[in-house]
Amino acid sequence: MALDKLPVRETRLFVLKQFPVNGKAVKRLAQAAYAWLEANKQTVNALNVFPVPDGDTGTNMSLTMKSAMEEIKTVPEDKADEMLNALAQGALMGARGNSGVILSQIWRGFARSVQGKPSLSAQDLAAAFVSARDTAYKGVVRPVEGTILTVIKDMAAAAEEGAKVGEDPITMLRRVLQASKDSVQHTPELLPILKQAGVVDSGGKGLSLLMEGMMRWVDGHQTHTAEAGAQPLAAMNLENAVEAVEEGQDYEVVVDFRPHTELDLAKFYGELEKMGTSIQVGEGDGMYRMHIHVPTDKRDAPLNYITT
């Protein structure tokens, strides 16, 4: 039967099972991921208790993805590597908050892994997930388990296992999605503040929703109406969670910069740790986006350090 005679779901499954993933497939998957996250961002916001219970993780991740979607609008659809490069750069330029910077580095890891590849096999995808994991961890000064970092780590492990047993791309992505869901459910066991508040990690949930959006598109399901069951902030046990928040997070500072010489990341991290906490550094095409939480008396210190 010709592809144009198949229903939408069967067409997508056939193409993704039988052929490597090209730029067009990457674009459609990313668009579906963004749509599903945008539809469910309030669910993610309601889970947000770490590192600060300010209820904006879903919004930050969605805005980060929105910037990525703008960047890929005019990219030719024949090359997966060029599409992922644009997606990663757009995510970095629009990265908001802790979760947005980390998400941008997950996409950066994907892009770096597939350079020179117009289409991606299952083996390529597995390597890309591993690179995404490594890049995300590298961008955080003090990685905390039970967060989005743990979830991308478990997703990478699932992708490697899928490649090892010879799965096709779509079967592998289903495995990765399930791993993300399982990992999110396990986050309260790794991060006590989540258990105290009775929630799972918000950034991890956001990442899992992105993966779920992709698979909903593959299966021909809608991606623009929120799932049921979002938990309102008022239903959460925030009292203990707020007490557990690290002090000195009065201001969130984000600075974009291009270093004049090669950046000594270890030294850079060391200086930032003297100023504040919740430090992430995203990188792409020679530009860096630095994120940090600082006390009031040090709100100008990060910018002064970077510009001297």
Side-chain angles (χ1 to χ4, degrees):
M1 181 182 294
L3 287 182
D4 59 1
K5 300 296 183 181
L6 289 170
V8 171
R9 178 178 184 273
E10 281 70 17
T11 299
R12 292 170 181 168
L13 284 172
F14 180 83
V15 170
L16 289 172
K17 278 178 175 284
Q18 299 299 320
F19 303 103
V21 178
N22 61 15
K24 184 175 183 178
V26 170
K27 185 174 185 177
R28 299 297 182 270
L29 290 168
Q31 288 172 331
Y34 165 60
W36 189 236
L37 175 62
E38 171 65 16
N40 291 280
K41 66 184 178 184
Q42 295 306 331
T43 295
V44 179
N45 284 340
L47 300 171
N48 181 198
V49 300
F50 180 86
V52 178
D54 49 13
D56 64 359
T57 293
T59 299
N60 286 340
M61 294 183 76
S62 182
L63 288 171
T64 301
M65 285 299 298
K66 182 180 181 180
S67 177
M69 294 303 98
E70 289 296 319
E71 191 72 19
I72 66 175
K73 273 185 176 180
T74 59
V75 176
E77 297 183 349
D78 56 333
K79 296 180 180 179
D81 58 344
E82 292 184 3
M83 189 65 68
L84 279 165
N85 275 332
L87 199 156
Q89 190 62 19
L92 177 63
M93 296 305 296
R96 304 289 187 92
N98 297 282
S99 54
V101 175
I102 294 173
L103 178 58
S104 77
Q105 294 309 281
I106 289 173
W107 286 119
R108 178 61 58 190
F110 262 88
R112 282 180 175 154
S113 176
V114 303
Q115 290 304 299
K117 296 184 177 181
S119 58
L120 310 177
S121 66
Q123 293 288 342
D124 294 330
L125 287 172
F129 273 105
V130 170
S131 178
R133 174 201 66 199
D134 294 345
T135 305
Y137 269 86
K138 182 181 178 183
V140 180
V141 173
R142 296 189 180 278
V144 176
E145 298 301 333
T147 65
I148 187 174
L149 294 174
T150 303
V151 177
I152 186 58
K153 179 173 67 177
D154 291 342
M155 291 167 72
E160 286 186 296
E161 182 61 29
K164 187 184 300 183
V165 299
E167 291 176 347
D168 58 75
I170 196 66
T171 304
M172 173 188 289
L173 291 178
R174 290 196 194 285
R175 178 193 289 267
V176 171
L177 171 59
Q178 187 58 53
S180 75
K181 291 181 176 181
D182 293 343
S183 184
V184 168
Q185 291 306 308
H186 187 61
T187 54
E189 304 307 315
L190 301 174
L191 193 56
I193 191 173
L194 301 179
K195 181 170 283 190
Q196 290 170 4
V199 297
V200 297
D201 179 64
S202 55
K205 176 65 173 179
L207 184 61
S208 183
L209 284 168
L210 288 171
M211 194 74 231
E212 186 174 19
M214 296 182 191
M215 301 314 299
R216 289 181 70 84
W217 175 79
V218 168
D219 291 336
H221 300 317
Q222 65 83 22
T223 57
H224 293 85
T225 303
E227 63 180 358
Q231 182 182 21
L233 282 168
M236 293 163 48
N237 180 19
L238 286 179
E239 183 176 351
N240 290 335
V242 171
E243 290 177 356
V245 172
E246 189 173 0
E247 293 183 359
Q249 303 199 65
D250 303 321
Y251 282 81
E252 180 181 52
V253 180
V254 178
V255 182
D256 292 342
F257 66 98
R258 290 183 182 274
H260 298 299
T261 59
E262 184 175 350
L263 184 66
D264 184 337
L265 200 56
K267 180 181 178 182
F268 186 65
Y269 281 161
E271 292 300 319
L272 291 178
E273 284 192 286
K274 298 175 185 177
M275 306 173 200
T277 60
S278 191
I279 302 165
Q280 285 87 39
V281 178
E283 185 274 330
D285 294 339
M287 193 208 84
Y288 290 81
R289 171 159 290 193
M290 183 277 299
H291 171 282
I292 187 172
H293 290 174
V294 295
T296 301
D297 63 340
K298 293 185 178 181
R299 63 184 181 274
D300 298 323
L303 181 59
N304 291 337
Y305 170 61
I306 288 173
T307 55
T308 56

